[in-house]
Amino acid sequence: MICIPITERSNHDAIKELKEASKLADIVELRLDYIESPDLNALLKERARPIIVTNRPKRQGGMFIGDETSRIDLLKKAISLNADYIDIEYDSVGKIKDAANTKLIVSYHNFNETPKDICKIHSDLTKSGAHIVKLVTFANSITDNFRIFELLNVVDFPTIAFCMGELGQISRILSPKFGGKLVFASLARGKESAPGQLTADEIINVYRVRQVNRKTEVYGLLGNPVAHSIGPYIHNGAFRENGINAVYVLFRVEDISCFIDSIKDKKMDIKGFSVTIPHKESIIGFLDEIDPIAEKIGAVNTVVNHNGKLSGYNTDCPAAIDALEKTLIPFSPHFIKGEMGDLQSPICGKKIVIIGAGGAGRALAFGLIGKGADVTIINRNYERGLDLSKAAGCNCVRFDELEKMDIDILINTTSVGMFPDVDKLPVPDTILKKGMTVFDVVYNPVETRLLREAKKRGCVILNGVEMFVKQAVLQFELFTGQEVPIELMKSIIAKLINC
Ligand code: NAP
């Protein structure tokens, strides 16, 4: 069930917000400590959903500034007005002698950490006369969430439990999978009542928390930072459209060894995860199996968990090759038959310059060489480019040689030209010649300055969206074993990046 806290300061605005929140929430929490001189009669008369009345003191992270007697008196008044629930702090519950028809949520908040003794704290709360206990801690690492899930898994008392903070966001999404009774979500951004609270729109429409249950499979993105990833929109959108009971969340992880241990010890059952900066290379040491192409590239962006056995893949490489082949086919009359009568890639034999030697550059270099291309690397850090060329078996030159080169296909794999530096060019525009194919893996913006200049000069152009869509499709298929229509993925991504 989803609960939206009301955080307005006046009775008038709180009533307005109560009505708005009731359209989305299953339960609404009236935060009396936010309201100056709360008019409980008027507020409770407007309820369209069950209401939790809370009057949180400063010592438990609330806003109430009056004395303790007047704070408790407001809660007693809520009881006399038949509030559905009151939330009372564990150290004040003794002051409520008779809850009449109102149910007691006895709460514990810790804004600093997830203490070692959460089981003992939970057990004490259950003995306090509570109908429901609420245990809310702060996550300082992603594994703090897993401890909350373990607790929820073993208790048989109605419990609301989750972690606060950015690192705790996954517990707000996943707690119903482990039996957590309530998920708090803000009515809008800026209206959060606790750190890390997601909006009701995110909880309901992106993560579909109402559908999360014990059978929901968990996927996610492992990286640091991850907050701005569009992965949850893509994968959860595809889960929804394919009718799959699964959810994709963001795992901001600093120490991957603890995270992987939790998966292997089955403390946290994660079926698969995408991997991003800075863990694409370091994850390899934790895998049981690695796809040969990912091993050559030295970077993994997808991990699948087969009953505790972790297998790593790189979907950037096949996605980039697929996007480029599709672009070249209409211009490649010799594509159909190779010398042996077999299908030959339109990439085979092409003179290709890759700008960049980072993750995307490596994926492209190995993929293109595998297709028989004549590849040259150019990178700002020449030594890094040279290392890649040696590993992949191709050439490496310095930027100043670019002007003299005969190029069929130019590929930018650097972040030059990416938002916000959209006016930057990774190469001088004078090297762009009619008939050349120019591929920019940057997808934000969709049409980079490099592609605009290339189009003006009569080049065939390819933006990074096709590759981005394909790598997401391949990842989804590895995760679920199900095909996802590419058009569906394209439409989800197009909406997100405005193309
Ligand atoms: P990365 O591993 O950090 O590599 C960055 C590359 O860009 C390095 O070669 C780096 O050169 C170069 N670079 C960065 N700033 C530069 C500058 N100011 N001038 C010249 N070169 C510069 O990053 P990545 O993961 O490969 O990603 C690179 C770009 O590809 C990003 O824009 C990313 O969004 C995009 N990408 C797109 C897709 C897709 O599906 N379309 C997939 C993956 C990545 P040094 O070695 O000299 O530092």
Side-chain angles (χ1 to χ4, degrees):
M1 284 200 299
I2 292 161
C3 176
I4 299 183
I6 305 301
T7 55
E8 280 298 342
R9 306 293 161 123
S10 71
N11 288 299
H12 174 267
D13 292 344
I15 287 171
K16 231 169 96 189
E17 198 167 290
L18 204 63
K19 287 180 183 162
E20 280 303 303
S22 300
K23 291 180 198 157
L24 298 171
D26 304 297
I27 297 189
V28 179
E29 183 187 32
L30 197 52
R31 287 292 299 259
L32 297 184
D33 51 314
Y34 278 70
I35 307 172
E36 285 166 38
S37 316
D39 180 350
L40 259 173
N41 276 310
L43 287 160
L44 288 178
K45 222 166 41 194
E46 294 296 337
R47 80 184 109 162
R49 299 268 172 203
I51 282 201
I52 303 170
V53 177
T54 302
N55 198 13
R56 192 82 69 226
K58 285 219 152 162
R59 66 181 148 74
Q60 282 273 299
M63 309 266 283
F64 191 81
I65 45 171
D67 62 45
E68 186 65 0
T69 310
S70 32
R71 188 177 79 82
I72 299 295
D73 281 351
L74 270 169
L75 290 173
K76 286 181 179 165
K77 184 162 183 204
I79 292 170
S80 72
L81 291 170
N82 274 324
D84 304 274
Y85 302 87
I86 63 159
D87 176 324
I88 178 98
E89 301 69 30
Y90 67 98
D91 52 359
S92 305
V93 64
K95 294 172 188 153
I96 303 292
K97 300 289 176 218
D98 180 9
N101 297 322
T102 299
K103 292 206 163 77
L104 291 185
I105 300 175
V106 178
S107 62
Y108 165 91
H109 291 81
N110 186 323
F111 285 81
N112 299 316
E113 59 169 350
T114 302
K116 288 202 168 59
D117 56 344
I118 48 174
C119 292
K120 162 91 170 65
I121 296 168
H122 180 272
S123 163
D124 290 348
L125 292 174
T126 62
K127 292 169 196 149
S128 62
H131 295 94
I132 300 173
V133 304
K134 182 179 177 200
L135 189 144
V136 183
T137 62
F138 195 88
N140 292 310
S141 87
I142 203 80
T143 49
D144 283 342
N145 296 285
F146 304 164
R147 291 172 47 224
I148 292 286
F149 299 153
E150 279 185 284
L151 172 83
L152 279 170
N153 245 341
V154 297
V155 299
D156 58 5
F157 196 90
T159 299
I160 302 162
F162 57 89
C163 293
M164 293 180 285
E166 187 202 331
L167 284 166
Q169 281 181 339
I170 65 158
S171 67
R172 295 179 179 274
I173 299 160
L174 297 177
S175 77
K177 174 175 167 68
F178 303 94
K181 292 290 172 216
L182 211 55
V183 172
F184 289 81
S186 69
L187 187 56
R189 212 167 289 294
K191 289 193 166 286
E192 299 80 10
S193 64
Q197 210 167 68
L198 293 156
T199 64
D201 180 52
E202 289 167 325
I203 285 288
I204 296 167
N205 298 319
V206 180
Y207 293 102
R208 297 181 302 135
V209 170
R210 280 204 173 97
Q211 279 80 43
V212 170
N213 56 35
R214 295 217 179 250
K215 290 197 170 144
T216 302
E217 294 191 334
V218 180
Y219 296 88
L221 170 65
L222 167 70
N224 186 19
V226 289
H228 300 294
S229 165
I230 57 175
Y233 293 85
I234 297 171
H235 288 287
N236 289 322
F239 288 143
R240 180 180 53 229
E241 295 300 322
N242 276 27
I244 298 173
N245 183 5
V247 63
Y248 184 99
V249 297
L250 298 174
F251 298 110
R252 178 160 80 79
V253 173
E254 278 162 25
D255 175 1
I256 56 172
S257 66
C258 288
F259 179 78
I260 300 292
D261 283 351
S262 301
I263 297 177
K264 293 211 162 178
D265 296 352
K266 299 207 163 44
K267 282 194 180 116
M268 183 65 208
D269 187 15
I270 299 168
K271 295 286 176 202
F273 49 92
S274 321
V275 187
T276 190
I277 292 164
H279 302 312
K280 279 187 176 188
E281 285 112 46
S282 49
I283 187 75
I284 293 173
F286 296 91
L287 300 174
D288 299 294
E289 259 177 20
I290 181 163
D291 178 67
I293 189 78
E295 190 168 25
K296 272 194 196 166
I297 296 166
V300 159
N301 74 342
T302 308
V303 174
V304 182
N305 178 3
H306 303 284
N307 295 320
K309 219 169 119 192
L310 301 182
S311 309
Y313 306 86
N314 185 306
T315 64
D316 283 339
C317 175
I321 299 301
D322 184 73
L324 191 57
E325 283 185 336
K326 286 204 172 101
T327 305
L328 296 177
I329 286 172
F331 306 96
S332 308
H334 309 301
F335 172 61
I336 305 301
K337 291 256 158 71
E339 269 175 29
M340 309 293 287
D342 53 340
L343 281 181
Q344 192 183 59
S345 168
I347 289 168
C348 185
K350 292 283 188 304
K351 292 188 268 309
I352 302 182
V353 169
I354 299 175
I355 312 292
R362 291 186 72 84
L364 267 141
F366 284 99
L368 294 169
I369 287 163
K371 291 284 179 179
D374 172 3
V375 175
T376 301
I377 311 287
I378 299 184
N379 192 46
R380 177 178 62 177
N381 175 340
Y382 177 73
E383 298 305 322
R384 192 182 185 193
L386 197 61
D387 284 350
L388 170 56
S389 71
K390 282 181 188 157
C394 63
N395 307 314
C396 176
V397 299
R398 294 183 192 272
F399 265 99
D400 52 14
E401 296 195 39
L402 200 49
E403 297 276 359
K404 307 180 256 179
M405 292 181 76
D406 176 19
I407 306 169
D408 297 319
I409 302 171
L410 177 84
I411 306 177
N412 174 45
T413 69
T414 75
S415 45
V416 178
M418 190 171 96
F419 181 84
D421 292 321
V422 294
D423 287 328
K424 295 235 165 86
L425 275 173
V427 291
D429 53 5
T430 45
I431 68 148
L432 303 169
K433 305 273 160 37
K434 189 171 171 28
M436 194 188 265
T437 296
V438 178
F439 175 15
D440 198 337
V441 302
V442 171
Y443 55 86
N444 177 23
V446 175
E447 192 168 85
T448 56
R449 175 150 177 233
L450 173 67
L451 294 184
R452 281 202 309 278
E453 300 296 342
K455 200 157 68 174
K456 270 195 229 158
R457 285 164 176 76
C459 304
V460 175
I461 61 164
L462 171 62
N463 65 44
V465 175
E466 202 63 34
M467 171 182 169
F468 186 65
V469 169
K470 185 73 186 180
Q471 63 80 28
V473 165
L474 292 173
Q475 200 163 66
F476 190 87
E477 290 176 2
L478 283 166
F479 284 160
T480 63
Q482 290 193 26
E483 276 189 26
V484 56
I486 193 146
E487 291 311 319
L488 164 68
M489 212 58 129
K490 244 183 215 167
S491 74
I492 295 172
I493 292 171
K495 273 186 218 141
L496 292 168
I497 58 180
N498 294 323
C499 65

